[in-house]
Structure formats: structure tokens, C-alpha cells
Amino acid sequence: MLKATKDQKQRIAILVKGDKDLKKLLVKQTTGDDSKTSTNDLSHNQANQIIQYLGGKPILYDNWAYFDNNKASHRQILSLCIQYGWTASHPTRGEIANLGSLSEWLKSKRSPVNKKLKDMTPNEVSKIIIALEGMVKSKYK
């Protein structure tokens, strides 16, 4: 599950105009869980639901993990994501690679190349593969 972004949390705070009780109520209603009252408990989609409810424009997710299925190296990255445990349930395909986790990792300081997967050169993609292989190897030591 992709968590709400900093920008989404800020937009919600602006739209509720500092009314913390309203914010807590909206979080409870959107999550369906009375114990969740913070915007930190929201998913990306839930935060956008609240923003739209309050009359704001939703914040689109910048996915860096779009891949080309025709490239073996991109398919290898998806395989490594699954091996590492970055998976999501799909209604018809079972467990698939969680592209949100891969995207967030590509944006992070831990990634050797901070670029969108589709914008990477073959040399940069190989650096990503080597890093993911190291992560998988260290996970199963």
C-alpha cells in the first residue's frame, strides 16, 4: 500500500483550515477505522479522496517504476522485486511486483540511480539490477 505523501498531508491541512477535529473525523471515515486519526495512517488513494471531498484537486502519483515488458532487464527487475518481497495481490494474477515500492526505492538515497526506470540507460539499469540482487542476497543470508 502506497502511503500518503507529504504534499497530500499538507494539502489536507490547508483544506481543513486548521480544524484538527474535522481532519480526525475525515481520516476515521475514510479509513473505516476509529483508531486511525492521523493523516500518516492514510494511503495515497485515501488522501486523494479526502482532498477531493474538501474540494481540492487530487495529487497524482509520480510513478518511476513504469517498465518496458519487452526488455529482459526490466523483467529481471520485476523478478528481483518479487524475490525481495515487494509484492502486491492482484485479483487475477496472484502476487505481482509492487511497483509502488520499487518507485519509492528508485526515488530514495538507497538507489544507485535516481531516475525513472524508462529514462535509464542500459548501464544504469544494470546498476539497479546489481543493487537489487545484493538486497535479495542479504535478505536471505
Side-chain angles (χ1 to χ4, degrees), residues 75-135:
R75 291 192 307 270
Q76 184 178 3
I77 289 171
L78 294 180
S79 172
L80 289 165
C81 289
I82 292 169
Q83 291 173 51
Y84 188 65
W86 287 342
T87 61
S89 294
H90 188 275
T92 57
R93 294 192 169 110
E95 290 292 310
I96 60 170
N98 184 336
L99 297 181
S101 296
L102 175 61
S103 177
E104 290 304 305
W105 180 76
L106 289 171
K107 294 175 188 177
S108 76
K109 294 177 186 174
R110 295 177 186 258
S111 173
V113 181
N114 294 114
K115 266 185 172 177
K116 293 182 179 186
L117 186 58
K118 279 199 162 186
D119 295 341
M120 290 184 193
T121 65
N123 187 39
E124 291 169 332
V125 170
S126 70
K127 288 180 184 179
I128 296 296
I129 291 170
I130 290 167
L132 288 169
E133 286 174 340
M135 290 166 53

Side-chain angles (χ1 to χ4, degrees), residues 1 5 14-15 28 30 32 37 41 46-48 68-69 77 86 90 94 97-98 100 116 134-135:
M1 173 179 76
T5 64
I14 291 167
L15 290 170
K28 282 182 187 181
T30 304
T37 59
D41 297 324
Q46 290 169 335
N48 273 339
D68 183 349
N69 202 31
I77 289 171
W86 287 342
H90 188 275
N98 184 336
K116 293 182 179 186
M135 290 166 53

